[in-house]
Amino acid sequence: SQQGEEDPQALSIQEGENATMNCSYKTSINNLQWYRQNSGRGLVHLILIRSNEREKHSGRLRVTLDTSKKSSSLLITASRAADTASYFCATDASNAGNMLTFGGGTRLMVKP
Amino acid sequence: EPEVTQTPSHQVTQMGQEVILRCVPISNHLYFYWYRQILGQKVEFLVSFYNNEISEKSEIFDDQFSVERPDGSNFTLKIRSTKLEDSAMYFCASSPTGRYQPQHFGDGTRLSIL
């Protein structure tokens, strides 16, 4: 079955550094989305990239998508302590119901 | 900014009992979803709902589960005859339309089955 898998599973960086998280999946997709989750909270949508797009930016976030390699990356530039959270990629390959398949996530810790 | 709200935040239920988890999606959204996250595991899709009917469901969403939109604002997940393995965080989400739209998640209901 289709799965999103992130790597690394955990990442620890200093404030001001860039953080890169990668996601791989197995089947053709309609779009890929990145979400953030703070401990004990719900998922917050960060960015959506369609299958015919290769790169998208939103503020300090940059997402790339390589459908030939079935992979995506999320880059957070100039990280802040407040960016500490878990980050998940989710793929939509559904025909009708917009089902998202989530990866296991990357736990990012940004040290002040 | 509009939010998806879920109640209760924590539900403790005896095994075998029925439980109803409640959600108020964002008011102008048309698609509604339930996901669950067992502790330490991935977020898993359960069901999507549009135009008062299920549009997609996963293998997890068996006869034990049902969803309903009883009025213009609430969206509920009912679990009949709960099992220990139903213990998880249950997230409700909504989106304005379907494809190519972000899904907006609530903070979840932690369901503990004893």
Side-chain angles (χ1 to χ4, degrees):
Chain A
S1 64
Q2 171 196 317
Q3 286 187 331
E5 297 293 343
E6 285 95 333
D7 88 274
Q9 290 187 334
L11 181 61
S12 181
I13 59 175
Q14 293 295 135
E15 210 166 27
E17 294 179 342
N18 296 341
T20 299
M21 290 160 265
N22 302 296
C23 168
S24 61
Y25 57 92
K26 294 183 178 178
T27 68
S28 296
I29 60 173
N30 301 313
N31 64 78
L32 184 145
Q33 304 180 34
W34 284 90
Y35 286 82
R36 163 195 169 126
Q37 185 181 35
N38 287 79
S39 181
R41 302 297 302 274
L43 295 140
V44 175
H45 181 263
L46 296 176
I47 201 162
L48 180 152
I49 187 165
R50 299 187 181 203
S51 60
N52 61 352
E53 297 176 312
R54 292 297 166 258
E55 188 171 314
K56 278 191 89 167
H57 297 254
S58 176
R60 292 185 295 113
L61 306 181
R62 173 178 168 254
V63 167
T64 62
L65 178 65
D66 186 336
T67 53
S68 68
K69 295 181 179 178
K70 293 186 169 59
S71 66
S72 174
S73 67
L74 170 67
L75 169 67
I76 304 174
T77 60
S79 63
R80 305 166 182 168
D83 294 329
T84 295
S86 290
Y87 291 82
F88 297 88
C89 71
T91 52
D92 175 1
S94 65
N95 293 323
N98 315 310
M99 175 182 83
L100 292 179
T101 301
F102 283 84
T106 294
R107 293 187 309 279
L108 174 67
M109 175 174 288
V110 182
K111 300 175 185 175
Chain B
E1 186 174 326
E3 291 183 340
V4 174
T5 57
Q6 292 186 242
T7 56
S9 57
H10 190 191
Q11 174 80 45
V12 181
T13 301
Q14 291 290 328
M15 186 172 60
Q17 296 296 305
E18 175 182 287
V19 65
I20 297 176
L21 308 182
R22 303 182 189 278
C23 169
V24 178
I26 295 173
S27 62
N28 61 347
H29 285 189
L30 301 178
Y31 281 80
F32 315 114
Y33 313 87
W34 284 101
Y35 292 82
R36 79 174 185 188
Q37 186 178 30
I38 296 172
L39 187 63
Q41 298 187 23
K42 297 180 180 181
V43 175
E44 301 173 291
F45 172 82
L46 294 178
V47 65
S48 58
F49 192 86
Y50 170 71
N51 200 26
N52 281 321
E53 61 182 24
I54 291 172
S55 52
E56 191 166 14
K57 61 181 181 179
S58 70
E59 293 176 353
I60 303 169
F61 194 88
D62 61 19
D63 291 344
Q64 181 193 11
F65 294 89
S66 62
V67 289
E68 190 179 27
R69 187 152 165 84
D71 53 42
S73 59
N74 291 284
F75 179 52
T76 62
L77 174 69
K78 181 189 290 185
I79 309 174
R80 287 181 284 275
S81 189
T82 49
K83 308 168 191 168
L84 293 176
E85 55 265 36
D86 294 329
S87 294
M89 184 73 92
Y90 287 81
F91 292 105
C92 173
S94 67
S95 62
T97 57
R99 195 165 293 176
Y100 308 121
Q101 291 287 322
Q103 295 180 18
H104 298 257
F105 284 75
D107 281 341
T109 292
R110 179 167 299 285
L111 178 62
S112 299
I113 307 299
L114 305 179

